Amino acid sequence: MRKIMSWMLAAIFICGASVLNSCKDAHAQEDNPAPQVVSTELIRTSQSWDGEELPDYFQGRPELVAVKYVFPAGQKLGWHHHVAMNYGVLVQGELTIIGLDGKTKVVHEGEAVVEMVGTVHHGENRGTKDCILYMFYLSQKDLPLAVQHPEIPLE
């Protein structure tokens, strides 16, 4: 019994010291707050920006690709389609994406976008400053990131 009491007193002492240290640490943090990591989910979806369901994953080993695109002011990217799923974040400027069917999506600085898969579209910078877009492709080895359609003229 005496041994149990000793263990209980030791446990109470340790817990009490821990609480006092926590209070002391909290007070010290109030005096000198350290910056905290902030996590903001930009997008979670199973659809591309035009509302179409994304395809199932490929069979086999994945290849993840990250690409930084810079669209100078007034520039257009030619008509193309993607074989693999991809999404990205526009970190500067404003990008307009136009589907061959006429659907349009304007992506603003700080926004995420999920690209169309298998659907012909193009992007253009209608603004006055460069657009910077980071795209992430969930692909496989030897698959093109985009299939170009030069036969379709840009207006």
Side-chain angles (χ1 to χ4, degrees), residues 87-109:
Y87 63 99
V89 177
L90 187 69
V91 297
Q92 179 180 298
E94 187 175 276
L95 180 66
T96 302
I97 307 170
I98 302 120
L100 195 56
D101 61 1
K103 287 184 183 176
T104 301
K105 167 78 174 169
V106 178
V107 184
H108 304 276
E109 192 169 298

Side-chain angles (χ1 to χ4, degrees), residues 107-132:
V107 184
H108 304 276
E109 192 169 298
E111 290 182 345
V113 62
V114 178
E115 278 276 45
M116 303 163 135
V117 179
T119 302
V120 178
H121 61 283
H122 82 275
E124 53 186 67
N125 180 352
R126 295 177 176 173
T128 57
K129 66 178 180 178
D130 291 354
C131 288
I132 299 175

